[in-house]
Amino acid sequence: SPRPIKAVGDNDEVFGLRIIAAPGHTPGHVCVFDPAGSLLILGDAMVNINNRLGGPNPQYTVDMTLAHQSVKKLAGITFERAVFGHGEPIGTGASRAIAKLASTLEAR
């Protein structure tokens, strides 16, 4: 690379996309928020298998407590659509669905 490569951190912006630290699944896991497209790319922070929204798979998650904290953090963002590393995308009402799930995690 002709320029030094710099790691991104929580709330950094890259080409209009916001980086959101979401550790738990792995220590350095991030999600990417596209405010213009009202889209959150969740990677492995959450799953939506058979249209059943859930946190990361415990079998493949390093720290479930931290992962649940990340889900709660993501629930504080407003967006319409979400895509996952595993499972079907949510086309409408995604932030409401994630906020609902996050509220159940608080009770645990």
Side-chain angles (χ1 to χ4, degrees):
S1 174
R3 296 178 296 193
I5 297 174
K6 178 186 167 211
V8 295
D10 196 26
N11 288 314
D12 282 350
E13 188 176 303
V14 179
F15 302 119
L17 304 173
R18 189 171 119 208
I19 305 303
I20 302 165
H25 168 66
T26 58
H29 188 274
V30 297
C31 297
V32 179
F33 176 52
D34 174 9
S38 195
L39 170 71
L40 182 63
I41 302 167
L42 290 134
D44 289 330
M46 300 180 71
V47 298
N48 191 36
I49 306 294
N50 297 321
N51 292 313
R52 185 170 180 194
L53 188 61
N57 185 327
Q59 181 179 356
Y60 303 109
T61 299
V62 174
D63 185 331
M64 283 305 291
T65 300
L66 195 54
H68 287 167
Q69 290 171 359
S70 291
V71 170
K72 292 172 192 175
K73 176 183 178 180
L74 297 168
I77 303 167
T78 301
F79 50 93
E80 193 62 27
R81 302 175 304 127
V83 294
F84 306 85
H86 303 278
E88 299 80 21
I90 297 176
T92 60
S95 64
R96 288 186 302 277
I98 290 172
K100 183 177 177 182
L101 175 67
S103 70
T104 68
L105 297 176
E106 291 173 11
R108 292 182 187 172

